[in-house]
Structures are given as structure tokens and as C-alpha cells.
Amino acid sequence: MCLPALTGDWRHPAGGAVLGTSGFFGMNDAKVERPDLLKLSKKPNPRTVNMVAIGDALLGASPPIRALYVYNSNPVAVAPDSGRW
């Protein structure tokens, strides 16, 4: 946001300034996170994997990762060394 402000490019279409509206809309996090399912699970603390280390996690996890829920990303395109895994 600083560079378009300094150069004045924010005035032009595609000038590089981004406006996020997420703060204006409420979101029901419980609908996405489903805490009710965690209460029913035998393991109420699911594993989390950092996207930077997803390849190593998929290849070397113990117990192995059998399912993966990825949102707002494409690990095949953006993860380091994605060809290896």
C-alpha cells in the first residue's frame, strides 16, 4: 500500500492499491471451523501443517496424513519443492 501512495498510482485503475472489505461483513466462524465435530472426535486437537513445510509433512508425517483440507491456496503451485512430493 505504501508504494502506490508514494507514486500516486492509487488514482489509476490497476495502480496497485488494494481495498479489503472483510471488516465490514460479519462471519460465523463456527460454521467453518465446526467445533461441534471436534467434540465428537477421538482426537479433539487436529494437526496443523504450515504451508511452507507441507511437502515434508506429507512425506514424513507419523501417523501419515490421510486427508488434507486446504483453503485459499494451491499447494501444488505455491509450495516449495512441490514436484518432489
Side-chain angles (χ1 to χ4, degrees), residues 5-72:
L6 290 173
T7 60
D9 288 333
W10 60 271
R11 294 176 290 203
H12 309 293
V18 178
L19 172 64
T21 59
S22 61
F24 294 105
F25 303 102
M27 182 173 166
N28 186 349
D29 291 336
K31 290 279 188 182
V32 178
E33 296 170 359
R34 295 298 306 267
D36 56 315
L37 293 179
L38 288 175
K39 292 177 187 175
L40 300 174
S41 174
K42 294 177 186 175
K43 296 182 179 181
N45 296 320
R47 289 185 280 189
T48 59
V49 178
N50 187 326
M51 289 296 292
V52 174
I54 193 167
D56 293 331
L58 288 173
L59 291 174
S62 179
I65 296 174
R66 299 190 187 278
L68 185 66
Y69 179 77
V70 178
Y71 62 94
N72 205 23

